[in-house]
Amino acid sequence: MSKFSTVIWPKVVLFGDSITQFSFQPNGWGAETANKLARKCDVVNRGLSGYNSRWAKIVLPRLISSQNPAENNIAAVTVFFGANDASLEDKNPQQHVPLKEYSDNLKEISRFLTSAGVPADKVIFITPPPIHEPAWEKECVLKGCPLNRHNSVAGQYAQACVQAAGQCGSDVLDLWTLMQKDGQDFTAYLSDGLHLSEKGNQFVAQHLWSILESRVAHLPFILPYWGDVETSSPESSLLCNS
């Protein structure tokens, strides 16, 4: 039997909170990204609902190994935290992370990724989106708690994320700013005042792709196009290592 090598799919890892975890739902930004990269790489969802950057930096070594960096074969990583960190300390102390610690955590995540073979230019930070306080307050009331997030505070965390990304040498997708640019009504981008609606998912997918595309443009189409398979000897096409 002919010897052949196992096909290794490169990976794009989406690391974040619930906005990442739910991104593989129909029309989600993660699903849209995976669809664009079919036959080029695997898009891996590592979204952890409710998590903040403090917990993220702790669990990251369990998700990506730094022991054999070359074996990770990671084309890009998105780091999308802040929506929970920005919770008000007096209203939601469990998820709240102080602003400076949030910034430090992002930098520590970046340093770990570098040690795992993912340099800064392959990391894309994403800021928390804006908060529509009236809608989110209704959700909070339904859960028996007061409003626990403010848009102005989310903006401070978004700014910290932008600054941390710059200090790390990574690109950043500043959703908080882009969704409110030129005074546009950003509420349509949110389903409940915090999480993304279908329109919000489309917005993230579009703007993320404008940054991500250059990181994956070099990736080849994996395995031959069906029309190029040699019908009389398919093994010669399908088992070749080129």
Side-chain angles (χ1 to χ4, degrees), residues 18-19 22 129-140 142-143 147-149 186-198:
S18 61
I19 302 177
F22 302 145
I131 305 289
H132 182 224
E133 293 173 24
W136 183 242
E137 186 171 26
K138 291 179 182 178
E139 295 294 319
C140 291
L142 289 174
K143 297 174 183 176
L147 177 67
N148 57 21
R149 289 168 172 81
F186 67 88
T187 60
Y189 296 131
L190 304 171
S191 63
D192 57 6
L194 173 64
H195 301 95
L196 299 176
S197 64
E198 183 171 332

Side-chain angles (χ1 to χ4, degrees), residues 39 221 223-231 237-238:
R39 292 282 291 276
F221 196 66
L223 294 175
Y225 171 65
W226 71 267
D228 295 333
V229 175
E230 177 58 53
T231 55
S237 302
L238 300 176

Side-chain angles (χ1 to χ4, degrees), residues 29-203:
W29 63 270
E32 177 67 21
T33 302
N35 184 55
K36 286 180 179 291
L37 292 172
R39 292 282 291 276
K40 287 199 165 187
C41 68
D42 288 334
V43 177
V44 182
N45 187 330
R46 292 294 178 265
L48 303 164
S49 179
Y51 275 51
N52 55 34
S53 65
R54 179 186 297 159
W55 303 341
K57 73 173 185 181
I58 294 171
V59 301
L60 182 55
R62 301 188 65 186
L63 306 179
I64 298 175
S65 173
S66 61
Q67 298 303 310
N68 298 292
E71 295 181 4
N72 287 326
N73 200 16
I74 294 174
V77 176
T78 60
V79 178
F80 193 173
F81 290 95
N84 297 316
D85 299 69
S87 297
L88 303 178
E89 184 175 12
D90 60 333
K91 301 294 194 300
N92 185 3
Q94 185 176 9
Q95 291 179 303
H96 169 79
V97 172
L99 189 61
K100 183 182 184 306
E101 183 190 341
Y102 168 69
S103 177
D104 290 342
N105 290 340
L106 294 182
K107 295 172 191 175
E108 188 167 337
I109 288 170
S110 177
R111 285 192 294 271
F112 175 81
L113 289 171
T114 297
S115 74
V118 187
D121 62 354
K122 290 186 177 182
V123 178
I124 302 169
F125 287 95
I126 306 177
T127 76
I131 305 289
H132 182 224
E133 293 173 24
W136 183 242
E137 186 171 26
K138 291 179 182 178
E139 295 294 319
C140 291
V141 169
L142 289 174
K143 297 174 183 176
C145 62
L147 177 67
N148 57 21
R149 289 168 172 81
H150 289 162
N151 189 40
S152 60
V153 175
Q156 295 172 12
Y157 282 72
Q159 184 178 18
C161 179
V162 171
Q163 292 174 346
Q167 291 166 358
C168 292
S170 296
D171 277 338
V172 62
L173 173 53
D174 184 359
L175 292 180
W176 192 88
T177 298
L178 285 173
M179 287 183 167
Q180 299 178 92
K181 189 175 181 180
D182 300 325
Q184 66 179 302
D185 179 13
F186 67 88
T187 60
Y189 296 131
L190 304 171
S191 63
D192 57 6
L194 173 64
H195 301 95
L196 299 176
S197 64
E198 183 171 332
K199 184 176 180 180
N201 273 280
Q202 292 172 352
F203 185 95

